Amino acid sequence: MQMKANLKDVRVKRRGKTILGPITCDLDPAGITIVLGPNGAGKTTFLKVLHGVERLSGGDVSWNVSDEQARRAQAYVFQSPIMLRRTVRQNLAYPLQLIATPKPQIATRVASWAAKTGLTDALDVSAPRLSGGEKQKLALGRALIRDPKVVFLDEPCANLDGRSTREIEALLMKATADGTHIIMTTHNLGQAKRLADNVIFLLDGQIHDRGPAPAFFAKPRSPQAQAFLEGDIVE
Amino acid sequence: MTDIWAGLASAFWLVVSLDADLVDITLRSLQVSLTALLIASLIALPFGTWLAIRRFRFRRATIAALNALMGLPPVVVGLIVYLLLSRSGPFGVLGLLFTPTAMIIAQVIIITPLIASITHQAMRELWAEYHDLLISLNTSNWQRIRTLIFDGRRALLTASLAGFGRAIGEVGAIMIVGGNIDQATRVLTTAIALETGKGDFALALGLGFVLIALALLVNFAIHVLSRTEREGRW
Ligand SMILES: Nc1ncnc2c1ncn2[C@@H]1O[C@H](COP(=O)(O)OP(=O)(O)OP(=O)(O)O)[C@@H](O)[C@H]1O
Ligand SMILES: [Mg+2]
């Protein structure tokens, strides 16, 4: 089933300042949706709101399935990867253990995802000891290992070199081809153009512009989005 | 001065020759304190962890109460347990007063708040680190507690160690509820108090050696344990 979200007058306030919203929109995140915007625009907050882990100050987010089902069908990769103080192998196995997957199945899935993320040689290394890029790959593998319907990725390639970025992008394309919806942020416009099916442009906690990728990149509707795409400083 | 030297020499002998009384008392001490440690850990480790991850109305009050309980004088704990277990007390029918079980109960009351409090502090830090991930993975409360306990096990080992140190060296409470009965409830600390009072410094010092050795041994064991773990896994 397609996962769709509906946001009604969503607001997030922190210390008296509105950092997101009010946002009212329907979201049908088929394929890859890229969330763009300058630092502090509210991209991370937006993703967390959709995932249901950010406390709302007002409004309401609902998926077209029950909250419980929505949660179970989603995964999230945080902007700064969170490593369990365990080995890489145990980190990958963890989400599967939570849902009581049989052991042999865990072992094969872990091996397969370690290979896909290029971490096979690091399986027995303690995860907090990995390099920044390796941590990101591990976080990504750990998110995808449960075959989620929707994955939120907060700058998944921020610390990766060109080759790793290409490998991860291939992995994401493959996941989308298999029916996973991906909602991700990136500051890499080249990557946005390569991957995006849809774009959401955030500025000051508001959705400033959104639409199918080709149209957005060819002719953004708002001058701010235009400036952002041209690499100007948006204010 | 000569008293002390003679005492030291014969104490050394008692230890080396594995004097029957000494071994008996040492084993009882270990039995009481380790049992108390086990029970207290079973309560305090999950409870301290739970306190770290749950927000509820009386959380601050609970933590304050825990810290207050930590400072409870053992003698007073002994007195209260005594009153509860004495023949006219509410649990008098159980006939537990002056048995090792009574001593275990008193020690559990003394060390549980200590272990829970140290656990809470360590787990709060780990929870701050894991919070977003565990929420995102849709974990149940019980799964969160288990994950934190597993990944924070070294801190928990330290908490338990502190509890054991407090239990094995404690004298006031177990003296009152145990009664220091020969062959039944006499343990290292109460025996030292008694022998010192009687002027038998040899046995008192011998027991003292054992007590110190036990404390050092446990510390050392935990140190080695946590180091091998760090090298192997981290
Ligand atoms: N708990 C909080 N308390 C106060 N301000 C907050 C809090 N969380 C976020 N903010 C503010 O909200 C704004 C949006 O934050 P957010 O992390 O969503 O930005 P972002 O678009 O992800 O930025 P970046 O590109 O740098 O990751 C920022 O200005 C940030 O300082
Ligand atoms: Mg961000």
Side-chain angles (χ1 to χ4, degrees):
Chain A
M1 191 172 84
Q2 289 283 316
M3 296 263 293
K4 290 177 192 169
N6 178 259
L7 282 71
K8 260 201 297 268
D9 200 28
V10 166
R11 261 174 250 250
V12 178
K13 274 191 199 169
R14 294 289 178 266
R15 297 198 200 126
K17 193 174 143 241
T18 301
I19 60 176
L20 190 77
I23 293 179
T24 300
C25 73
D26 280 316
L27 202 72
D28 177 4
I32 299 183
T33 305
I34 300 273
V35 180
L36 290 175
N39 289 138
K43 301 180 296 296
T44 298
T45 314
F46 183 62
L47 255 56
K48 285 188 174 173
V49 161
L50 286 173
H51 187 41
V53 296
E54 186 78 54
R55 187 167 45 81
L56 297 183
S57 315
D60 170 51
V61 178
S62 54
W63 289 83
N64 59 343
V65 292
S66 75
D67 282 0
E68 173 68 21
Q69 277 177 309
R71 260 306 178 63
R72 242 185 299 162
Q74 295 177 355
Y76 195 109
V77 176
F78 294 93
Q79 192 162 5
S80 38
I82 302 173
M83 296 290 104
L84 296 172
R85 298 180 187 175
R86 306 179 180 192
T87 61
V88 170
R89 188 192 306 279
Q90 288 168 323
N91 264 274
L92 283 171
Y94 185 73
L96 296 174
Q97 285 165 350
L98 290 176
I99 51 171
T101 313
K103 275 213 174 111
Q105 209 175 319
I106 292 184
T108 42
R109 301 218 56 157
V110 165
S112 132
W113 277 98
K116 286 184 202 173
T117 49
L119 289 170
T120 305
D121 291 339
L123 269 175
D124 292 309
V125 176
S126 155
R129 283 221 183 131
L130 295 176
S131 75
E134 289 165 337
K135 281 182 187 165
Q136 281 191 319
K137 292 184 197 173
L138 173 55
L140 187 71
R142 193 179 54 195
L144 293 174
I145 203 163
R146 272 204 317 211
D147 278 335
K149 287 239 168 61
V150 179
V151 192
F152 299 96
L153 306 169
D154 203 347
E155 295 186 41
C157 299
N159 289 312
L160 300 186
D161 58 26
R163 184 168 148 216
S164 302
T165 303
R166 211 166 46 236
E167 285 166 9
I168 295 301
E169 285 180 10
L171 215 66
L172 296 180
M173 305 280 247
K174 169 88 173 49
T176 338
D178 295 343
T180 303
H181 301 337
I182 292 175
I183 301 175
M184 67 181 265
T185 70
T186 178
H187 282 293
N188 178 341
L189 282 178
Q191 177 172 62
K193 285 178 187 160
R194 284 193 297 275
L195 294 179
D197 293 309
N198 288 288
V199 177
I200 293 176
F201 179 66
L202 280 179
L203 192 60
D204 294 332
Q206 300 274 357
I207 295 186
H208 231 264
D209 200 350
R210 62 180 290 205
F216 178 84
F217 287 120
K219 199 172 181 312
R221 272 172 301 185
S222 69
Q224 288 92 338
Q226 175 84 42
F228 181 78
L229 287 181
E230 282 166 4
D232 290 348
I233 295 161
V234 195
E235 276 158 326
Chain B
M1 204 55 205
T2 44
D3 255 13
I4 297 177
W5 285 120
L8 272 174
S10 44
F12 180 73
W13 256 122
L14 285 176
V15 176
V16 173
S17 63
L18 291 176
D19 177 75
D21 274 351
L22 190 77
V23 170
D24 181 56
I25 292 174
T26 304
L27 288 180
R28 191 170 308 109
S29 231
L30 280 175
Q31 183 214 332
V32 168
S33 292
L34 285 175
T35 311
L37 177 66
L38 185 74
I39 297 170
S41 295
L42 284 177
I43 302 169
L45 300 183
F47 179 66
T49 309
W50 182 81
L51 262 187
I53 69 169
R54 273 307 274 202
R55 318 228 142 259
F56 57 97
R57 199 136 152 242
F58 300 109
R59 185 159 168 273
R60 274 172 177 282
T62 310
I63 293 166
L66 201 63
N67 289 334
L69 283 175
M70 205 163 55
L72 217 58
V75 184
V76 179
V77 174
L79 175 64
I80 295 167
V81 174
Y82 184 97
L83 292 175
L84 291 175
L85 296 182
S86 70
R87 200 106 57 83
S88 52
F91 302 106
V93 283
L94 300 176
L96 289 177
L97 200 60
F98 304 134
T99 64
T101 309
M103 297 153 73
I104 291 170
I105 292 173
Q107 291 204 334
V108 167
I109 296 174
I110 291 167
I111 65 175
T112 299
L114 178 73
I115 300 178
S117 181
I118 300 177
T119 302
H120 167 244
Q121 268 159 35
M123 290 296 118
R124 210 172 40 179
E125 228 167 85
L126 192 59
W127 175 235
E129 194 180 317
Y130 281 10
H131 176 271
D132 287 357
L133 179 67
L134 296 192
I135 300 277
S136 160
L137 285 171
N138 207 20
T139 45
S140 68
N141 261 326
W142 183 229
Q143 285 173 328
R144 287 172 199 173
I145 291 180
R146 278 210 323 240
T147 302
L148 290 177
I149 288 184
F150 184 74
D151 286 1
R153 57 195 178 282
R154 273 198 296 151
L156 300 187
L157 217 56
T158 314
S160 290
L161 172 68
F164 182 75
R166 181 127 198 240
I168 194 93
E170 195 279 320
V171 57
I174 46 173
M175 183 74 99
I176 296 178
V177 301
N180 194 21
I181 302 166
D182 196 14
Q183 311 280 332
T185 59
R186 184 160 302 166
V187 292
L188 286 170
T189 50
T190 56
I192 291 174
L194 179 76
E195 301 305 331
T196 309
K198 285 201 309 200
D200 185 349
F201 295 118
L203 189 51
L205 276 169
L207 295 161
F209 286 158
V210 175
L211 194 55
I212 292 172
L214 273 179
L216 288 179
L217 198 76
V218 172
N219 264 300
F220 182 71
I222 300 230
H223 179 74
V224 169
L225 220 95
S226 59
R227 206 182 48 195
T228 49
E229 182 191 326
R230 203 163 35 234
E231 277 166 5
R233 290 167 171 271
W234 289 61

